[in-house]
Amino acid sequence: MPFETWPADHPKLLSWTGGYERSEHHNLNPGQYTDDTQMARALAESLIACRGFNARDVMDRYLALFEAGIRGIGTATRRALTRYKSNPTKPAGQRGTLGNGPVMRCAPIGVAFRHDPGLARTIAQQEAWLTHESHDVASAAGAVAAMVAWLLTTTNAPNKLLMATMFTMDCTQNAPFTEGLHIGLHDP
């Protein structure tokens, strides 16, 4: 977190030896959790409470965090939550928005749907579409959730990392993406 928004060749990043650092960008103390952690937790709580994915419940939980003053939330997510607050029956994401939020918060989906990596991928794509109407963002979140699911259930320990990398590449390159995944917001 302390290096968010910095280029990969930033001197402070290159000289970092590990450990917790203060985030000047988000005004966070060393070790303080971020919006991504808070949103991943809200997503996990929703998956448990609803016994599956419920787009409206997820957005309501994200909105509650936003209204409580969550720090570090990205522009696309902030705008989506503002739109959702004004009209919760309309899709909130803005077409073409990029960002890493859905990827940062999708691990609970992989855990919840660990016995079906394909379903984990689809659910993560749906969740990403709530705040980022981008095929790239949704595909990346889907690949990560599917990889988490696959890693939790595979028994091929010696080649786990290599296979997970190949699996993720396959998910992002060959998996069809279905438009209109935000339909869940229209459900009562």
Side-chain angles (χ1 to χ4, degrees):
M1 190 64 177
F3 309 118
E4 190 169 357
T5 74
W6 291 4
D9 61 350
H10 192 283
K12 283 190 173 182
L13 178 58
L14 294 174
S15 64
W16 183 56
T17 59
Y20 295 113
E21 300 281 336
R22 176 164 176 66
S23 171
E24 298 300 328
H25 181 72
H26 293 297
N27 194 27
L28 297 173
N29 292 319
Q32 189 175 359
Y33 55 82
T34 68
D35 63 302
D36 298 314
T37 303
Q38 291 175 292
M39 293 180 82
R41 181 177 174 177
L43 175 58
E45 290 170 346
S46 177
L47 291 167
I48 292 166
C50 296
R51 296 179 179 253
F53 180 71
N54 180 306
R56 184 174 300 260
D57 187 73
V58 169
M59 287 297 281
D60 287 344
R61 289 171 190 267
Y62 291 168
L63 182 59
L65 286 172
F66 177 61
E67 290 179 335
I70 188 172
R71 285 192 286 175
I73 197 165
T75 303
T77 301
R78 181 175 38 257
R79 288 180 180 162
L81 291 172
T82 300
R83 282 191 294 277
Y84 177 74
K85 182 178 180 177
S86 68
N87 189 349
T89 62
K90 286 185 72 174
Q94 184 174 350
R95 185 161 297 278
T97 55
L98 297 178
N100 66 357
V103 173
M104 299 290 285
R105 63 183 184 245
C106 72
I109 295 170
V111 173
F113 298 97
R114 63 191 169 276
H115 298 293
D116 188 344
L119 181 58
R121 180 187 68 224
T122 300
I123 297 296
Q125 289 175 335
Q126 291 175 350
E127 192 282 335
W129 208 254
L130 295 175
T131 56
H132 295 71
E133 285 195 22
S134 163
H135 294 290
D136 292 339
V137 173
S139 293
V144 170
M147 182 178 68
V148 168
W150 185 81
L151 285 170
L152 289 172
T153 57
T154 188
T155 57
N156 189 0
N159 295 318
K160 226 176 198 183
L161 187 58
L162 175 62
M163 294 303 291
T165 302
M166 292 170 65
F167 181 80
T168 303
M169 289 171 55
D170 184 59
C171 283
T172 57
Q173 293 174 2
N174 299 320
F177 184 85
T178 306
E179 288 215 34
L181 293 173
H182 53 279
I183 297 299
L185 284 177
H186 300 282
D187 297 337

